[in-house]
Amino acid sequence: MKKNEHFVLGADFGSDSVRVVVLDAFDGSVAGANVSFYPRWKKGLYCNPKENRFRQHPLDYIESFTEAVQNAVAEAAEKTNIGNIADLICAVCMDTTGSTPAFTDKNGMPLALTKEFAEDPDAMFVLWKDHTAVAEADEINRLSKTWGAEDYTMYSGGTYSSEWFWSKLLHIARKNPKVKKAAVCAVEHCDWMTALLCGTTAPDKIKRSRCAAGHKCMWHKQWGGYPSVAFLTKLDSKLAEIQPLLGTETFTTEQKQGTLTTEWAEKLGLKAGIPVCVGAYDAHIGAVGGGVADGVMVKSMGTSTCDIITAPVPASGEKEKCIDGICGQVDGSVIAGKIGYEAGQSSYGDYYNWFRGLLLWPFKNAAGAVVLGREPNEAEIDAYEKHILADLEKACENIPVTETLPVALDWINGRRTPHANQSLSARMSGITLGTDAPAFMRMLLEATAFGSRAIIECFEQNGIEIKKIIAIGGVARKSRAGMQILADVTKREIAVTESDLSPSIGAAVFAAVAAGLYTSVEEAQKRLAPGIDRVYKPDAKKSAVYEKLYKRYRTLGASEEAEAVRHAD
């Protein structure tokens, strides 16, 4: 293989946008890249944050993906001076957020693409951070523990979350009788988008992702696939109807969903017939792009976090090493032949964005008009918004680390791990009249770092050794103060990759394997994944103080959990 001979395309569907890269399969250099924001989502359509309802229209995915691919390929042609570079792109792979499911018709198409349900949020994709299904998740957990047969939460950390597939479908089936009646099957975003490009969306043709099915749909080979019809019938008849249509097999990401159809090739400007990989979740594919390996945890740090690590299948069998409190363990969810372990925090960057929104409100709604003599326009609001967090972080770096600092919980969007519980909320302690905006910002940075430490402890207490931590994503790249605090709180070095494209690059790694350019994911990863840009080392003196603050964090957390139990009763 030579440079400029073979290219692969990786796409990363995030919460707000899709990012596409065209990668040289020889050395991993990025020939072209583009980001396209979801137009309906940007307008806030179909969502209600006060109800924790976050829905996305499938047309947002289709339109933004098409635009991003066309622009990335055009940029690649210009940068490489290869006019026919589209003909050299030999495979496509993509990742999405998850669990992000939707009800479908008999052809496997989301109901929102029909005229009847075009404006119905319940017929759209339910974004990962939608927490409308807390009660349904609780019901699934109770049933799984008490129904007298398999505990289907065994490989999901012992707790099924409201962020996941069955909880969300159950909630919509009960809330919206029209959608329930029209629904024939259901699909994850990562499965639907790949199948769409291949013309294989029909339930009996689609290849379901091992990553999605294992981590979020309670699929496991031990019980022959998904939870049984008998189990699902106890929840809702619609779930029982769907189960047989999902099949029993799942597929790892280096395998092919199919090949790119002529229709989609013409739309995207690519060659027809090139392989399209089975889809997976952004954190898992991003971990490959970030350098995941046995003993190497990759923290994908954005609006939330996902912490991914791999390990060999235990010689004594997987059942003997079930990790309690995490978001699941799945053979092949990251790299085929390895168990992928997942944990994470339901809010990370979202916590900081929430604070920024509080501070931005006066300018957007009152003070801006007073200062400017008119309502601020979108460009002025954006310019002001971009400075808030950066300026606060810079100011909070000068605050001494003392035992009297205020402490907060990071559960403002519920707790993902350890032990999923979306009914929990944030608490703050020690705030005084001396707590100014920079001090408040530092408290939030420390809260998210404390949550990360709790996850690390959960893994290591269950025998999963973490030798190295690599951070990827927007927060890792932008928040130097946050990364230093993370190192100080966890007492570990935090390495940050030199590229902010890890999920897209990870997708390109799998595409290169599917195209036959490399014999294994590990081989492709070594050649194509980016290196390390910088390493944050813990400050021993600050770590000693954080040890005491972390104890206050745990005490505050216990108080919030006790209060949540009282409310439930």
Side-chain angles (χ1 to χ4, degrees), residues 99-407:
S99 176
T100 302
F103 275 119
T104 72
D105 62 18
K106 65 180 181 180
N107 297 315
M109 300 297 281
L111 294 178
L113 292 178
T114 66
K115 184 177 180 180
E116 181 181 1
F117 295 105
E119 298 298 320
D120 189 334
D122 291 336
M124 299 174 188
F125 282 96
V126 186
L127 189 63
W128 64 270
K129 67 179 182 179
D130 186 296
H131 288 163
T132 54
V134 171
E136 289 77 11
D138 289 343
E139 185 176 346
I140 290 171
N141 283 307
R142 285 194 301 272
L143 180 62
S144 194
K145 306 292 185 188
T146 61
W147 80 302
E150 296 280 6
D151 178 0
Y152 292 117
T153 70
M154 179 188 301
Y155 296 107
S156 300
T159 307
Y160 198 71
S161 171
S162 64
E163 294 182 346
W164 299 349
F165 186 83
W166 295 113
S167 300
K168 291 174 173 178
L169 298 184
L170 180 59
H171 175 76
I172 291 174
R174 289 179 172 171
K175 172 180 175 289
N176 194 319
K178 289 185 178 180
V179 168
K180 177 180 179 179
K181 183 178 180 181
V184 175
C185 197
V187 69
E188 279 281 350
H189 179 199
C190 69
D191 291 334
W192 177 70
M193 199 69 206
T194 54
L196 185 67
L197 298 187
C198 302
T200 57
T201 58
D204 62 336
K205 293 182 180 179
I206 190 170
K207 292 181 179 177
R208 310 273 173 174
S209 163
R210 173 77 57 83
C211 174
H215 282 288
K216 313 303 183 189
C217 308
M218 297 193 287
W219 178 94
H220 200 278
K221 59 185 178 182
Q222 178 177 315
W223 41 78
Y226 299 92
S228 69
V229 169
F231 176 84
L232 295 173
T233 298
K234 292 179 178 293
L235 296 168
D236 193 279
S237 60
K238 179 56 66 176
L239 303 190
E241 291 173 18
I242 285 171
Q243 192 262 30
L245 299 177
L246 300 178
T248 58
E249 295 299 315
T250 58
F251 301 84
T252 51
T253 310
E254 80 287 351
Q255 295 178 287
K256 300 174 186 177
Q257 176 71 245
T259 58
L260 189 66
T261 65
T262 300
E263 178 187 357
W264 270 99
E266 291 175 353
K267 185 180 295 187
L268 300 173
L270 301 177
K271 281 193 311 183
I274 62 174
V276 177
C277 292
V278 169
Y281 290 150
D282 47 6
H284 301 73
I285 284 185
V288 171
V292 75
D294 293 353
V296 178
M297 173 183 280
V298 173
K299 293 182 66 65
S300 180
M301 308 178 75
T303 53
S304 66
T305 72
C306 275
D307 302 331
I308 305 294
I309 191 168
T310 63
V313 178
S316 58
E318 186 185 358
K319 191 173 182 179
E320 301 304 316
K321 204 174 189 69
C322 292
I323 308 302
D324 192 37
I326 65 172
C327 296
Q329 55 192 78
V330 181
D331 187 353
S333 65
V334 183
I335 298 174
K338 302 279 188 180
I339 293 183
Y341 295 92
E342 177 193 350
Q345 292 161 268
S346 292
S347 180
Y348 212 92
D350 261 356
Y351 210 174
Y352 319 145
N353 291 336
W354 163 80
F355 183 41
R356 178 176 61 188
L358 292 182
L359 299 179
L360 185 62
W361 191 93
F363 182 76
K364 290 175 66 176
N365 295 277
V370 173
V371 172
L372 298 173
R374 56 174 171 76
E375 293 294 327
N377 59 42
E378 188 173 340
E380 289 165 336
I381 292 173
D382 287 345
Y384 181 59
E385 185 176 16
K386 287 178 181 178
H387 281 280
I388 294 175
L389 292 184
D391 290 349
L392 284 173
E393 279 207 20
K394 187 175 181 179
C396 82
E397 287 182 283
N398 299 319
I399 298 174
V401 181
T402 67
E403 295 178 36
T404 59
L405 287 174
V407 172

Side-chain angles (χ1 to χ4, degrees), residues 41-118:
W41 172 263
K42 191 174 183 179
K43 294 177 182 177
L45 301 180
Y46 315 120
C47 300
N48 187 337
K50 292 183 179 180
E51 296 178 1
N52 282 318
R53 173 165 63 84
F54 298 96
R55 310 292 166 82
Q56 292 183 328
H57 202 290
L59 288 177
D60 267 359
Y61 302 149
I62 292 173
E63 294 167 3
S64 294
F65 176 69
T66 301
E67 179 182 68
V69 171
Q70 292 172 349
N71 290 340
V73 173
E75 181 181 277
E78 183 178 348
K79 284 178 62 176
T80 61
N81 200 29
I82 302 174
N84 68 332
I85 194 168
D87 294 335
L88 303 180
I89 296 174
C90 50
V92 175
C93 181
M94 64 185 70
D95 64 68
T96 73
T97 64
S99 176
T100 302
F103 275 119
T104 72
D105 62 18
K106 65 180 181 180
N107 297 315
M109 300 297 281
L111 294 178
L113 292 178
T114 66
K115 184 177 180 180
E116 181 181 1
F117 295 105

